[in-house]
């Protein structure tokens, strides 16, 4: 019986629906057809499909049980650093599902979709105001897609000036997609090391910036959860050498209403609406990564763009310097509706408060845990804090062991082994939506785990023990991924 015992009343040996079916079970009733029957050649029908016979309760319980094996932000805290897995208000889901909005055909003539175009136009204006930049494209479908669009804009701007540059500076504290996005546009990445405080040194940037370098891509706040305090000096250095500054705004949820990207010296910035502006994050999408630019770079934004002429909205494609279309139709429209709804419901004060709470929560966790976990950069952080497993190494316990043990206590683990410049990194982001009670419970759990690391290290090495699937051989799983179970199912 031990192999079928679950926790919390959950049954963990749920069979496939094909195995649950029993002849004669019926899960629906169909009215008798009033259409005359007609003969059909047997060869047109093919082989009979052997669907299982299932009752309604069979189906409902099957999928409910499967859902209970998963972890989601609706069921618990999701401290996934650098990804902002926060709770999103359900009202924004309702707005995105409004039939008149969800069913609007993207190929309608401008005069027949004025409401849709107005929503897009106003969202462009809101995002420009929030970032301090001048113009916005809503087309990119994700953060990395926004980065790619930004690099296309870099390339187009330099080409318009009769210049063909081949390199891009990328700090070691940038998001990992930055060098990939640059490479797709033909740029060679030049790494920039941060100093012992986790900051960029303008002097080092100056030494690397030359006439063949298109600019710099930096994440701010960076992946250590720290704000690049000398960003204006860095921007001045890059601009003096004829380059542009790209701001990875994926961590914008830490600085809403606090910073002005344009005054920081940023020329191009992308936002992750699926992180900061109320769209569920994870599961492969959809997302949205709008790109915001200075007035000088506006001509290069993707087309079409929504413009307002008097009281009428229309799509404008007459932009000869544009990098072209980067997404079909209006981008991931449902995500844009959620962001629009979130901004309207929160308002200026609410958005700023959200960032303040995200920063407060992260600093609270940092202070509460720095006695039991090593803190490589002991300074005020932004929305996330980064620890390491240095204090646990003498007991032969690693970050992954602690992360797996968190699963036994009912938590999704935080991001581990990123950023790469911190050995054994554990990046924790509580987000603004977690209350102090839940954060205290999470802190207490991590303290218990660090104590177990000293007193019962084998417990951590064998974790998790209360899950459907035990710890995998992760090296083998990465090298030889196989989704076939032992029974061939």
């Amino acid at each position: 019986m031990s192999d079928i015992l679950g926790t919390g009343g959950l049954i963990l040996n749920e069979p496939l629906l094909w195995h649950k079916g029993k002849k004669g079970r019926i899960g629906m009733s169909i009215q008798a057809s009033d259409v005359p029957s007609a003969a059909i050649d047997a060869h047109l029908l093919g082989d009979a499909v052997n669907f299982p016979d299932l009752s309604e309760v069979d189906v409902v319980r099957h999928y409910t049980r499967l859902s209970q094996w998963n972890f989601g932000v609706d069921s618990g805290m999701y401290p996934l650093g650098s990804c902002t897995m926060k709770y999103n208000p359900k009202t924004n889901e309702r707005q995105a599902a409004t039939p008149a909005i969800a069913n609007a055909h993207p190929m309608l003539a401008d005069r027949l979709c004025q409401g849709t175009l107005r929503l897009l136009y106003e969202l462009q204006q809101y995002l420009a105001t929030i970032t301090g930049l001048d113009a916005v494209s809503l087309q990119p479908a994700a953060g990395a897609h926004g980065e790619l669009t930004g690099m296309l804009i870099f390339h187009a701007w330099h080409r318009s000036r009769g210049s063909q540059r081949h390199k891009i500076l990328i700090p070691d504290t940038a998001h990992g997609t930055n060098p990939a996005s640059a490479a797709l546009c033909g740029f060679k990445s030049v790494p920039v090391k941060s100093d012992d405080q986790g900051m960029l040194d303008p002097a080092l940037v100056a030494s690397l910036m030359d006439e063949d370098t298109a600019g710099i891509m930096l994440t701010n706040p960076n992946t250590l959860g720290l704000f690049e305090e000398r960003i204006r000096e860095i921007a001045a250095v890059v601009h003096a050498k004829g380059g542009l500054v790209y701001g990875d705004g994926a961590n914008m949820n830490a600085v809403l209403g606090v910073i002005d990207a344009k005054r920081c010296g940023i020329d191009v910035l992308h936002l992750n609406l699926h992180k900061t502006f109320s769209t569920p994050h994870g599961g492969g999408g959809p997302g949205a990564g709008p790109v915001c630019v200075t007035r000088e770079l506006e001509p290069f934004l993707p087309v079409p763009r929504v413009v307002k002429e008097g009281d009428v909205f229309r799509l404008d494609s007459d932009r000869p310097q544009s990098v072209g279309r980067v997404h079909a139709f209006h981008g991931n429209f449902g995500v844009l509706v959620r962001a629009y709804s979130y901004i309207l419901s929160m308002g200026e004060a609410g958005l700023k408060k959200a960032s303040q709470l995200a920063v407060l929560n992260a600093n609270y966790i940092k202070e509460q845990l720095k006695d039991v976990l090593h803190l490589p950069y002991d300074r005020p952080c932004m929305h996330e804090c980064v620890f390491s497993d240095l204090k646990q190494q003498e007991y032969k316990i690693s970050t992954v062991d602690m992360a797996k043990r968190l699963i036994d206590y009912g938590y999704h683990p935080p991001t581990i082994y990123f950023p790469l410049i911190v050995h054994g990194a554990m990046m924790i982001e509580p987000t603004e939506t977690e209350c102090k009670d839940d954060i205290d419970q999470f802190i207490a759990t991590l303290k218990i785990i660090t104590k177990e690391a000293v007193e019962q290290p084998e417990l951590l090495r064998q974790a998790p023990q209360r899950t459907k699937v035990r710890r995998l051989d992760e090296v083998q799983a990465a090298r030889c991924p196989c989704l076939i179970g032992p029974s061939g199912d």
Side-chain angles (χ1 to χ4, degrees), residues 9 26 45 51 67 83 95 113 119 153 190 216 233 263 294 307 432 434 437:
I26 299 174
L45 294 175
F51 285 117
S67 73
C83 281
Q95 317 318 321
C113 60
L119 187 155
I153 291 171
V190 177
I216 188 170
E233 295 177 58
R263 291 180 62 193
T294 59
V307 297
E432 73 274 14
E434 297 299 332
D437 291 343

Side-chain angles (χ1 to χ4, degrees), residues 397-411 413 416 449 452-453 456-474:
I397 292 297
S398 65
T399 293
V400 70
D401 295 324
M402 292 185 282
K404 297 294 187 184
R405 185 59 175 156
L406 268 171
I407 297 173
D408 279 335
Y409 284 99
Y411 287 99
I416 60 174
I449 290 172
E452 289 174 342
Q456 299 174 280
E458 193 60 29
L459 200 60
L460 274 66
R461 297 187 193 107
Q462 297 300 319
Q465 300 183 42
R466 302 178 182 179
T467 52
K468 169 68 175 173
V469 179
R470 296 290 297 276
R471 189 185 299 208
L472 303 174
D473 180 339
E474 297 189 22

Side-chain angles (χ1 to χ4, degrees), residues 266-477:
I266 292 172
D267 302 294
V268 184
L269 175 88
H270 89 263
L271 298 168
N272 285 21
L273 299 190
H274 49 285
K275 286 178 60 175
T276 306
F277 294 97
S278 189
T279 282
H281 186 183
V291 169
C292 313
V293 299
T294 59
R295 186 69 62 198
E296 184 182 17
L297 297 177
E298 182 177 8
F300 305 99
L301 283 173
V303 291
R305 296 189 59 226
V306 182
V307 297
K308 184 180 182 182
E309 296 174 346
D311 293 328
V312 177
F313 301 91
R314 70 176 182 86
L315 291 173
D316 179 19
S317 296
D318 187 18
R319 306 285 174 114
Q321 290 185 293
S322 168
V323 298
R325 183 186 284 275
V326 297
H327 195 291
F329 306 117
H330 303 317
N332 282 340
F333 184 62
V335 181
L336 303 179
V337 176
R338 291 178 178 91
Y340 180 79
S341 175
Y342 182 71
I343 292 169
L344 287 179
S345 61
M346 295 289 282
E348 180 180 353
L351 292 175
K352 184 175 182 178
K353 186 71 170 180
S355 284
Q356 291 171 329
L357 291 174
V359 172
L360 175 65
N361 288 348
N363 278 279
Y364 179 67
I365 286 178
K366 174 179 69 68
E367 291 299 314
Q368 292 294 314
L369 289 176
K370 68 180 185 179
D371 290 337
V372 296
L373 292 170
H374 173 243
L375 185 65
Y377 299 92
D378 191 359
R379 53 181 300 170
C381 62
M382 300 301 289
H383 62 302
E384 59 196 9
C385 53
V386 178
F387 298 99
S388 85
D389 58 7
L390 186 61
K391 293 184 177 181
Q392 284 69 43
Q393 287 178 10
E394 65 175 296
Y395 308 106
K396 295 184 171 52
I397 292 297
S398 65
T399 293
V400 70
D401 295 324
M402 292 185 282
K404 297 294 187 184
R405 185 59 175 156
L406 268 171
I407 297 173
D408 279 335
Y409 284 99
Y411 287 99
H412 191 288
T415 297
I416 60 174
Y417 301 122
F418 182 82
L420 300 178
I421 61 173
V422 174
H423 181 76
M426 178 186 290
M427 178 191 282
I428 299 173
E429 181 182 6
T431 80
E432 73 274 14
T433 57
E434 297 299 332
C435 68
K436 184 175 181 296
D437 291 343
D438 289 345
I439 293 175
D440 282 338
Q441 186 179 41
F442 176 75
I443 290 168
T445 301
L446 266 174
K447 287 183 175 180
I448 291 172
I449 290 172
T450 58
K451 186 177 180 181
E452 289 174 342
V454 177
E455 299 174 352
Q456 299 174 280
E458 193 60 29
L459 200 60
L460 274 66
R461 297 187 193 107
Q462 297 300 319
Q465 300 183 42
R466 302 178 182 179
T467 52
K468 169 68 175 173
V469 179
R470 296 290 297 276
R471 189 185 299 208
L472 303 174
D473 180 339
E474 297 189 22
V475 174
Q476 182 70 8

Side-chain angles (χ1 to χ4, degrees), residues 167-210:
K167 296 186 294 185
I168 196 89
L169 303 182
I170 300 184
D172 58 6
T173 54
H175 277 127
T177 48
N178 287 186
S181 299
L184 285 171
C185 293
F187 293 118
K188 177 184 176 181
S189 297
V190 177
V192 185
K193 287 189 176 182
S194 53
D195 63 21
D196 59 1
Q197 295 297 305
M199 297 283 102
L200 289 179
D201 182 353
L204 178 57
V205 174
S207 70
L208 296 171
M209 186 71 202
D210 59 25

Side-chain angles (χ1 to χ4, degrees), residues 17-159:
L17 283 177
W18 298 98
H19 300 156
K20 287 176 68 76
K22 299 292 183 182
K23 288 296 182 183
R25 291 183 179 175
I26 299 174
M28 59 182 177
S29 58
I30 302 177
Q31 291 183 333
S33 174
D34 58 359
V35 177
S37 59
I40 300 177
D41 291 341
H43 74 277
L44 296 176
L45 294 175
D47 296 333
V49 179
N50 185 28
F51 285 117
D53 291 0
L54 299 159
S55 68
E56 180 177 300
V57 71
D58 288 333
V59 176
V60 170
R61 285 181 177 170
H62 176 75
Y63 287 107
T64 300
R65 285 170 181 162
L66 293 185
S67 73
Q68 290 170 331
W69 296 350
N70 292 325
F71 190 93
V73 75
D74 286 353
S75 58
M77 183 179 175
Y78 215 133
L80 197 61
S82 204
C83 281
T84 316
M85 298 288 280
K86 67 181 180 181
Y87 177 84
N88 292 293
K90 296 298 180 280
T91 182
N92 304 322
E93 297 294 313
R94 289 193 290 272
Q95 317 318 321
T98 300
I101 294 176
N103 297 332
H105 199 286
M107 295 185 72
L108 284 172
D110 292 352
R111 63 184 178 83
L112 299 177
C113 60
Q114 285 294 290
T116 297
L117 295 181
R118 176 185 170 184
L119 187 155
L120 295 172
Y121 178 82
E122 291 184 354
L123 180 57
Q124 290 175 177
Q125 303 305 107
Y126 293 153
L127 296 180
T129 299
I130 288 168
T131 60
L133 290 161
D134 301 307
V136 179
S137 170
L138 302 174
Q139 281 191 28
H145 197 192
E147 293 170 18
L148 174 63
T149 304
M151 290 298 95
L152 289 172
I153 291 171
F154 268 42
H155 185 274
W157 182 79
H158 281 293
R159 184 179 56 194

